[in-house]
Amino acid sequence: TSKALTCYGTSEQLIPNNSTAGGYSAVPSKSVGTFYVMNFGRRINDFIEKVLDARPGYRSIAVAKEASIVWTKMVDDDPVLRLALGRGSLSYSEVQPWQRINHVRNKQSLNDKDMFLARIHEYANRNLQSSGDRIREAWFLPESYRLHVKAEKEAFLHRVDYENGINEAWVCKDPTVDRGEGVAMLGPGSDRLKELRMKLTDEFLPVSALSWYNRTADPSAEVSDASSKQFDKRLRNRLIVQKYIPTLQWQGHKFDLRVYWLVASVSPLLVYYHDGIARVSLTSYNPTDFADERIKSHLTNVAQSLSGGNETDRLLNLATRSFDDLDLILRKFVASDTKRSSHFESHIKDDPLGYVRQRIKDALTFVVDAFRETALNPDGCPADNCYVFFGADFMLDENLNVWMTEVQYGPNLAVKAKAKEHVFKKLVPEMFAIVDEVREKQVKSAEVAAPLLPLASAKTWELFYC
């Protein structure tokens, strides 16, 4: 059953305290109201910079370790990783206790599809009843197999050979890339599926052994730096196969949902949800056509829909739709589909978007539960407290089940489409107001203890985990 809020802390635990660290550190006077935003050649953080610059009393500074609020691409002390991700990032050892920075250690375990599945599997397997039944299944994930893990590879082979998997559709993914790249469709009984099945009998399957697999959108793209090549090599030869989910259609097109969630604090753990956008493929959808030339009909990523020089304002706004538009689509579907509507309970018929939204929050609650010990905790924060901004993608099937396809750390904040701009104009300013309010209350708690919740600055963000 759905729950409005998952809260493990008592009201006493939610009173700000940091007794083990001797209290929360106040911001030095010279750094009050300062922020640092690490931008890149593509200026992908322009919007963040503009939002912070518009806050009363705030100013940008050039030195990350002197800024009150930091938004940066951080690296650790691994020299290979540092070279691969680029220069200019702030290392964990440089973070000051009073800073609020958009990182925690091990965040990559949520962003990397392979690491994510590994943790979800570990968490689910640990929560077994004595009878062997799972207490909590990851009900929101498509059936998934990591092919570089022997037990999961053998399970997939058994599924294909003995449970009719050869006659079902699958999706093959490279867990190290995003923006719709590294994805291959394996249709029922297709040559691709048969080739994968045949070559999986080898002890080790290099991705180059698959004739149809192309790791990057640009085959000529090469990693130039020697250290970056070494870093890149470490991540190769990991493939994930997931059951293909036929989805609900948006006027004859496939779509998915990008929602946002904010770890506003890791000490204590406070997590907020925000509506996002619907991403609609610009190619008509046929859930049984897996031909190469139809690949874009199965991909909802906006970068894929607009690839090939097709980016115009009109197409961008067609591919990026609001949750108000989604509400109309869902209401029309529930009302018109008489075959299924009798199976929908009255509360779903009355508010289908509300039902979908709650199921998304239920799925995110499971994810936070799984990662609260390994990533989303004070031990992974180099300061007194940290915040982390995430995205998550979901598909809907015709029974309004939600299916998570991935989680993203630091999702794209480029504001081009109208629907996205409408969301971000509220989401981003409130995000930083929330981070500031948490810090102010925690610092003041040294003088007067007061409840951390509710946060007055959380207007369109909804607390779903504490």
Side-chain angles (χ1 to χ4, degrees):
T1 58
S2 297
K3 297 172 287 185
L5 177 66
T6 297
C7 209
Y8 291 94
T10 65
S11 58
E12 289 77 17
Q13 289 171 319
L14 290 176
I15 292 174
N17 68 81
N18 195 16
S19 56
T20 58
Y24 289 92
S25 307
V27 180
S29 57
K30 70 174 184 177
S31 294
V32 171
T34 59
F35 69 88
Y36 172 85
V37 174
M38 181 186 177
N39 228 315
F40 309 92
R42 291 181 292 149
R43 306 295 298 176
I44 60 175
N45 286 328
D46 274 352
F47 187 71
I48 293 290
E49 201 162 9
K50 289 177 182 178
V51 166
L52 287 169
D53 199 43
R55 300 198 71 199
Y58 266 74
R59 68 186 192 280
S60 174
I61 62 174
V63 182
K65 62 183 178 182
E66 296 178 2
S68 170
I69 288 182
V70 177
W71 182 279
T72 183
K73 180 172 67 173
M74 184 186 294
V75 299
D76 57 24
D77 294 328
D78 184 337
V80 175
L81 189 61
R82 185 182 292 274
L83 283 170
L85 295 182
R87 294 177 293 179
S89 299
L90 186 68
S91 69
Y92 283 107
S93 60
E94 295 175 301
V95 177
Q96 304 300 308
W98 44 268
Q99 290 186 295
R100 293 299 176 265
I101 188 162
N102 61 322
H103 288 266
V104 290
R105 293 183 176 90
N106 297 328
K107 64 185 180 300
Q108 184 65 17
S109 62
L110 287 103
N111 198 60
D112 182 286
K113 300 177 186 71
D114 174 33
M115 297 179 185
F116 179 83
L117 282 175
R119 177 57 189 167
I120 291 292
H121 289 174
E122 178 187 358
Y123 175 76
N125 289 332
R126 193 177 66 188
N127 289 280
L128 294 174
Q129 294 176 326
S130 57
S131 62
D133 295 329
R134 298 192 190 283
I135 295 175
R136 303 185 65 189
E137 287 278 8
W139 48 268
F140 53 89
L141 289 179
E143 181 182 350
S144 304
Y145 302 90
R146 295 176 297 149
L147 299 183
H148 57 284
V149 177
K150 184 177 180 180
E152 295 186 31
K153 181 181 76 171
E154 291 176 349
F156 176 68
L157 287 172
H158 185 275
R159 178 78 166 79
V160 168
D161 290 344
Y162 300 105
E163 297 179 2
N164 202 40
I166 194 68
N167 295 315
E168 299 176 19
W170 302 86
V171 183
C172 188
K173 298 180 179 180
D174 180 336
T176 67
V177 294
D178 53 18
R179 295 172 63 85
E181 296 180 11
V183 177
M185 299 296 164
L186 311 179
S190 64
D191 290 341
R192 286 182 172 183
L193 181 56
K194 291 175 181 177
E195 181 187 358
L196 178 64
R197 189 261 167 268
M198 179 183 68
K199 291 185 176 178
L200 278 179
T201 56
D202 297 337
E203 186 66 24
F204 175 71
L205 174 71
V207 296
S208 58
L210 299 169
S211 61
W212 44 264
Y213 184 77
N214 180 19
R215 186 172 186 272
T216 63
D218 179 5
S220 65
E222 294 290 343
V223 181
S224 59
D225 181 82
S227 297
S228 296
K229 285 184 178 180
Q230 181 182 355
F231 169 73
D232 186 66
K233 186 177 180 180
R234 293 188 323 189
L235 300 179
R236 291 187 178 182
N237 299 316
R238 295 186 298 159
L239 291 178
I240 293 171
V241 170
Q242 291 184 315
K243 187 75 172 63
Y244 181 82
I245 305 294
T247 65
L248 182 65
Q249 297 185 30
W250 188 296
Q251 299 174 339
H253 296 253
K254 186 173 182 177
F255 74 96
D256 73 355
L257 307 178
R258 163 67 60 84
V259 301
Y260 302 98
W261 52 293
L262 170 68
V263 178
S265 163
V266 294
S267 177
L269 184 56
L270 303 177
V271 191
Y272 286 79
Y273 164 87
H274 202 290
D275 282 349
I277 55 173
R279 307 184 303 178
V280 185
S281 171
L282 297 180
T283 306
S284 59
Y285 178 54
N286 182 344
T288 64
D289 187 351
F290 297 96
D292 281 352
E293 60 270 18
R294 299 287 298 169
I295 182 69
K296 287 186 179 181
S297 70
H298 299 279
L299 300 177
T300 55
N301 185 279
V302 175
Q304 290 293 322
S305 291
L306 301 178
S307 62
N310 291 326
E311 183 170 333
T312 66
D313 289 344
R314 185 183 71 85
L315 291 178
L316 187 61
N317 288 318
L318 284 174
T320 312
R321 308 299 287 271
S322 71
F323 266 43
D324 288 340
D325 294 335
L326 173 65
D327 189 30
L328 295 176
I329 291 290
L330 294 180
R331 288 184 184 276
K332 183 177 180 180
F333 169 72
V334 170
S336 63
D337 194 337
T338 56
K339 190 174 182 180
R340 282 189 176 82
S341 61
S342 60
H343 300 293
F344 289 131
E345 298 179 20
S346 59
H347 71 282
I348 301 177
K349 294 180 183 179
D350 293 341
D351 185 11
L353 176 57
Y355 171 76
V356 167
R357 183 184 288 121
Q358 184 57 57
R359 296 304 284 162
I360 288 174
K361 288 185 289 186
D362 290 342
L364 291 174
T365 294
F366 187 105
V367 171
V368 177
D369 270 343
F371 286 90
R372 66 197 304 260
E373 293 179 2
T374 60
L376 307 178
N377 59 68
D379 292 339
C381 174
D384 288 346
N385 209 342
C386 292
Y387 70 101
V388 194
F389 177 58
F390 289 101
D393 296 341
F394 289 87
M395 300 183 299
L396 303 179
D397 65 22
E398 292 191 344
N399 293 313
L400 297 189
N401 296 314
V402 301
W403 298 96
M404 178 183 286
T405 54
E406 64 178 305
V407 166
Q408 310 85 18
Y409 158 71
N412 191 338
L413 285 171
V415 179
K416 295 181 180 179
K418 291 179 180 178
K420 202 171 183 181
E421 180 182 14
H422 177 74
V423 171
F424 286 172
K425 279 186 173 179
K426 296 178 180 179
L427 178 156
V428 177
E430 281 186 33
M431 173 172 66
F432 291 111
I434 288 170
V435 171
D436 265 344
E437 183 177 350
V438 169
R439 174 166 50 189
E440 289 169 6
K441 286 185 174 180
Q442 290 184 324
V443 171
K444 288 180 180 178
S445 68
E447 302 173 1
V448 179
L452 183 54
L453 298 176
L455 297 179
S457 51
K459 296 180 173 64
T460 59
W461 284 94
E462 179 187 355
L463 179 70
F464 74 92
Y465 196 105
C466 60

